[in-house]
Amino acid sequence: GGARFGGLQLGGALAVAACAEAPTGVTAPDPPLQLTLASSIRGPCPGPATVVVTDETGLHAAVAAAAPGDVIAIDGTITLTTGFVHFQTGDVTLTCATRGSGLAADASAALFYMIVVAAPRVTVSNLLLDGRNVNQPYYSNNNGGTALGSEPRLLDNAMYCGSQTCAFLVNGTSAVVAGNYFEAASGVTGVHLQGPASDDARVERNTLVATAPIVSPAFGAIRVRDGDRMVVAHNTITGPWRNGMATASAFQLLIEMNSVGGAREFGLRLSTNAPIPTAGAVIRNNQFTGAGSAGIFAQLLCSALFVGNNLNGNAGNTGLIFNATTGANTVVGNTTVAIDNGAFDCDGDGVNDPNIIGGKGAVLHGVNLGSLVSDGMTESNVLR
């Protein structure tokens, strides 16, 4: 055990409240965060802690005084009323002292963030994060490509998302977002990584659930862009996200072993709001089903490989759409309807490079997609 910054432990009070029965005829309140999301936390609290905190004053003091290598552990639920948790020292971990501990934001505080990371190699793990009263519960920014905020780690947390995002990482070189549970009832986008430098970022083994329609046409439950060698793998996405995944300007991108169900438009939307084509992507062994328009839609895409994907059960049995700004892409094993309007010169030799679609499914050409695939506008001058 480490030092302890004052405050009351909340576990006992929550346990008593959980056993109380609502009077007849009175609607029971929503269950507290600890009871609805606790089962989504993966693994025990890591420990040992350098310091254990139980209230907001102690938390801010511990973060401000942290040295590289410190582990700050939260015991109970800390409600933020005076400001977000701001990491300006690198190689620090924020985690739980007891399983089910975490952060919430008071509605009257009008906070934009709960956690802001502006230092390298900061880890936030194994916490319950109630971001329903903020815009962005978690925000990491490495300040235009310097070491600040690089290599962030968001691991094994359970989160109610904010009114705009779940987690927003800017220039997150070598970022890892893994093992988390995210639940969104509103917003623009889910886990969102953008550059200009998001190289070697990984989004893996997360569960993202939308409980109400998410509106932005260019974004999705997972949005990755502006990086080389990015990996999106083994994620589960359900509910009415506008798109399950939405990517742009990503080179040597790997998307594999994901399960996406129920997106309002596309399970995977490639290269939205992109200034340059995406090239060299591998999309393999995923399941995209139940989408309102098609399993996959691609634009500004060259030299991608699609293999082993299950694209059954989408609107009109449409598994895949290539629009005119695609070329030299290869699809192996198509069993659904594919629309191929590709007419793009990927290598600049003056000749359009055809897409190659193999399999038993029908391939249609010259289909007028109309407003179905228009990018629309982004909802923020920050998110893109």
Side-chain angles (χ1 to χ4, degrees), residues 37-341:
L37 292 189
S39 62
S40 300
I41 293 273
R42 300 183 183 182
C45 300
T50 308
V51 59
V52 176
V53 296
T54 59
D55 64 9
E56 183 180 15
T57 300
L59 174 60
H60 288 309
V63 171
D70 280 0
V71 176
I72 302 168
I74 296 173
D75 192 1
T77 299
I78 294 177
T79 300
L80 300 176
T81 61
T82 62
F84 55 77
V85 180
H86 192 191
F87 286 93
Q88 300 180 78
T89 298
D91 298 289
V92 174
T93 295
L94 180 68
T95 188
C96 58
T98 53
R99 188 177 173 88
S101 297
L103 298 174
D106 189 275
S108 63
L111 299 178
F112 197 92
Y113 309 108
M114 284 207 311
I115 297 171
V116 173
V117 174
R121 296 174 300 281
V122 170
T123 298
V124 176
S125 75
N126 299 87
L127 293 173
L128 291 171
L129 301 171
D130 186 350
R132 289 174 290 185
N133 290 323
V134 299
N135 289 60
Q136 295 176 4
Y138 175 91
Y139 175 65
S140 173
N141 190 340
N142 85 346
N143 196 29
T146 67
L148 295 176
S150 63
E151 301 179 59
R153 301 288 185 265
L154 187 63
L155 308 175
D156 300 322
N157 302 283
M159 179 191 294
Y160 281 129
C161 301
S163 61
Q164 191 173 74
T165 70
C166 301
F168 183 26
L169 294 83
V170 180
N171 299 319
T173 303
S174 298
V176 178
V177 180
N180 302 284
Y181 174 90
F182 298 99
E183 184 174 308
S186 63
V188 175
T189 183
V191 174
H192 189 109
L193 283 71
Q194 69 181 46
S198 296
D199 294 351
D200 300 301
R202 306 181 71 89
V203 183
E204 300 177 308
R205 298 180 290 101
N206 302 285
T207 298
L208 300 99
V209 177
T211 59
I214 308 299
V215 298
S216 172
F219 300 150
I222 297 175
R223 168 71 162 173
V224 294
R225 59 169 298 155
D226 309 320
D228 293 353
R229 302 172 302 279
M230 304 175 82
V231 175
V232 181
H234 297 275
N235 300 285
T236 301
I237 298 171
T238 60
W241 299 93
R242 185 62 176 264
N243 303 292
M245 301 177 185
T247 74
S249 299
F251 299 91
Q252 302 176 63
L253 171 68
L254 174 61
I255 298 176
E256 69 173 351
M257 300 296 292
N258 299 286
S259 175
V260 180
R264 296 172 60 208
E265 195 160 17
F266 304 109
L268 170 62
R269 182 165 186 164
L270 291 149
S271 301
T272 56
N273 293 348
I276 52 179
T278 291
V282 175
I283 297 94
R284 66 188 181 198
N285 300 328
N286 302 282
Q287 179 174 353
F288 300 106
T289 187
S293 296
I296 298 174
F297 169 73
Q299 64 183 19
L300 281 171
L301 184 72
C302 289
S303 304
L305 172 64
F306 298 79
V307 60
N309 298 293
N310 182 346
L311 302 177
N312 296 296
N314 297 293
N317 196 33
T318 305
L320 179 67
I321 300 173
F322 286 123
N323 91 339
T325 58
T326 63
N329 300 294
T330 301
V331 180
V332 178
N334 174 54
T335 62
T336 60
V337 175
I339 297 173
D340 181 15
N341 293 338

Side-chain angles (χ1 to χ4, degrees), residues 352-377:
N352 289 339
D353 299 300
N355 297 309
I356 300 171
I357 302 175
K360 297 180 180 180
V363 180
L364 309 179
H365 301 274
V367 177
N368 183 6
L369 303 176
S371 61
L372 176 67
V373 294
S374 61
D375 271 354
M377 297 179 63

